[in-house]
Amino acid sequence: MLERDQLRTPYAARAALTHALALVIGWALAAPAFAQDDLPEEEPEEDVKKRFEEDDDIDLLDDEEELDKIERPTDNGTDLLGEEEDTPIRSGVGVDTADGYRDYQTQVRELGPDEEVLAWEQYLESFPNSLFKDRIQKRIDELMGLMYGDKIDREDDSVDAGKRDIDLAQPFSLEPTNPRQRLNAGFEWGLPNYMNLAVDYEHAILRELSIHAGLRRRYSGWSIEGGPRWAFVKSTRTNTVVALIGDFRVNTDPAFLSLKPQLAAGKKFGPVDIQLQAGIDFDTRPGGGLPIIGGGNVTYNATDVVSLFAETLLYMKTVSSEIGALSFRFNTATFGLRFHPEMEAEGDLNIGLGATVPYTSNYWMFHFGAIATQVTYTF
């Protein structure tokens, strides 16, 4: 038992209370373990008093002040999600986000037309499955209409804006569907005694409008030809061209004038180019009739260097005579290869080799078959 004068102090009262609780807890814990020989020893009274005195000296406010002195990491303004400002915003393989598109749109808004076209093309290279691909292609079409004839500077080269057009294949015997600036020359030799030389220059006035002039041999004789080509539909978004061809020609022997209006359409389907044409060759000679002209071309771009093509050329008419209507026709098919050699200079060189055979004819037989070559340089 503690002495009466010790209980008068606060520390002694606390010690007594603690001593009593320790005895109760000790007996409660020791009850299930009577088999054990070593029992916990009582804490000396002096130790209990000393421990309570130390506990009373603890100041919680002082501890909080000491914690505040601990150095904490500071925010230096670095965005861990944007360590590199030039890192493109990505949201999956080839797919962008609405926020990323709007941010990019804001960035390119102050650029010139040529730089903006280049920027959007780089964006589509990073995000080929962009959710806004249609809008971007429409914007590129608008910029191309403004900047035709300018040049777009890249790091290592410069590309003529005209070449950034829809790259439809060059037809072999048909008229070109897509207005471009180009020089075309060809040679054809057939049995028994057919020969054709052709040279033509086409100049692009606008992206959608060109005019051409040339010399070649038609079935009716040597002919001087020319006229406008207007693409009233020309979309890089859909890779489609629809054009009016307003050609005329002056035949030399015999001499007469002929008008050749045609409607032409072409479209790219991945590596395949398809073109169709139809029109009339209005011969001003008495009894010349209205020959139907036209045909189609299918070109498969197997690689960047080699293409395969098949083409048909239609030429037929019906005239009235004393014995009734007479149908004249000489329709041919041409097939062959085209080569696109790489060039250091600006422009595109296109070399074609083909063979032509008539597959249906009536009253007309200009040749039994021919071989031909064609060289086209697009500026």
Side-chain angles (χ1 to χ4, degrees):
M1 296 296 292
L2 296 174
E3 295 180 1
R4 194 177 295 272
D5 57 345
Q6 290 177 323
L7 296 176
R8 293 173 183 172
T9 64
Y11 298 108
R14 294 182 185 179
L17 179 60
T18 302
H19 183 71
L21 290 175
L23 290 176
V24 174
I25 294 173
W27 281 106
L29 295 175
F34 287 110
Q36 297 181 3
D37 296 330
D38 298 330
L39 295 177
E41 298 180 356
E42 268 189 309
E43 184 179 6
E45 182 179 342
E46 293 78 9
D47 294 341
V48 173
K49 180 179 179 181
K50 183 178 180 181
R51 179 165 53 83
F52 274 94
E53 290 176 351
E54 291 176 351
D55 292 342
D56 288 343
D57 293 335
I58 296 176
D59 191 344
L60 297 179
L61 295 177
D62 293 339
D63 290 346
E64 290 179 358
E65 291 177 0
E66 291 297 325
L67 290 175
D68 291 339
K69 296 179 182 179
I70 299 176
E71 183 178 356
R72 292 182 172 87
T74 58
D75 185 5
N76 58 6
T78 302
D79 185 0
L80 297 180
L81 297 178
E83 294 178 353
E84 295 180 7
E85 295 180 359
D86 295 335
T87 302
I89 301 172
R90 295 183 179 275
S91 175
V93 179
V95 181
D96 56 358
T97 63
D99 291 339
Y101 167 73
R102 284 193 292 266
D103 291 344
Y104 198 85
Q105 190 177 39
T106 302
Q107 295 174 18
V108 303
R109 187 172 298 167
E110 302 300 328
L111 299 177
D114 54 349
E115 295 176 342
E116 186 174 347
V117 169
L118 179 57
W120 282 121
E121 289 187 347
Q122 291 175 342
Y123 184 88
L124 290 178
E125 289 177 2
S126 299
F127 306 105
N129 299 321
S130 171
L131 301 174
F132 307 93
K133 188 173 183 179
D134 291 346
R135 297 185 186 178
I136 295 173
Q137 290 288 2
K138 184 177 180 180
R139 177 59 178 167
I140 291 176
D141 287 345
E142 295 174 353
L143 293 170
M144 291 296 294
L146 294 174
M147 58 173 279
Y148 180 74
D150 295 336
K151 293 183 179 179
I152 297 177
D153 294 331
R154 296 181 182 265
E155 292 182 3
D156 299 325
D157 59 355
S158 59
V159 181
D160 188 358
K163 286 183 59 57
R164 302 175 65 79
D165 211 323
I166 302 173
D167 191 19
L168 276 178
Q170 170 73 22
F172 208 80
S173 300
L174 299 174
E175 302 297 334
T177 302
N178 189 20
R180 299 291 295 273
Q181 186 161 325
R182 74 190 107 203
L183 178 63
N184 185 51
F187 169 79
E188 186 178 12
W189 179 73
L191 296 175
N193 59 357
Y194 178 78
M195 184 185 72
N196 179 23
L197 291 173
V199 61
D200 187 272
Y201 173 71
E202 182 179 358
H203 183 76
I205 301 173
L206 300 172
R207 180 173 178 264
E208 299 84 7
L209 178 64
S210 67
I211 188 169
H212 80 103
L215 174 68
R216 66 173 298 168
R217 184 182 179 185
R218 297 289 182 181
Y219 297 140
S220 57
W222 290 100
S223 175
I224 300 173
E225 306 182 358
R229 293 166 180 163
W230 172 49
F232 58 91
V233 175
K234 191 170 187 177
S235 172
T236 56
R237 180 176 62 86
T238 60
N239 286 323
T240 303
V241 178
V242 182
L244 289 174
I245 301 175
D247 282 1
F248 68 91
R249 69 187 187 93
V250 178
N251 205 78
T252 57
D253 188 17
F256 63 88
L257 175 66
S258 180
L259 304 178
K260 296 176 54 184
Q262 294 186 76
L263 178 64
K267 183 174 177 60
K268 296 182 71 68
F269 296 91
V272 179
D273 297 357
I274 298 179
Q275 301 176 68
L276 298 172
Q277 297 179 9
I280 59 173
D281 187 356
F282 181 70
D283 192 337
T284 58
R285 294 176 297 175
L290 292 174
I292 298 174
I293 57 176
N297 178 286
V298 178
T299 299
Y300 172 65
N301 301 299
T303 68
D304 293 338
V305 179
V306 179
S307 301
L308 294 81
F309 73 90
E311 184 174 296
T312 180
L313 179 65
L314 305 179
Y315 186 67
M316 49 193 174
K317 70 176 181 178
T318 300
V319 297
S320 300
S321 68
E322 296 178 354
I323 61 175
L326 300 177
S327 175
F328 293 80
R329 63 182 181 272
F330 187 70
N331 303 326
T332 60
T334 304
F335 55 89
L337 300 171
R338 284 194 175 276
F339 302 94
H340 310 267
E342 295 183 359
M343 299 180 60
E344 296 182 358
E346 296 181 9
D348 178 45
L349 182 63
N350 186 311
I351 302 173
L353 300 173
T356 300
V357 293
Y359 61 87
T360 176
S361 63
N362 187 35
Y363 293 108
W364 285 334
M365 180 53 69
F366 301 107
H367 61 76
F368 297 101
I371 57 174
T373 182
Q374 185 185 74
V375 178
T376 304
Y377 183 78
T378 305
F379 298 89

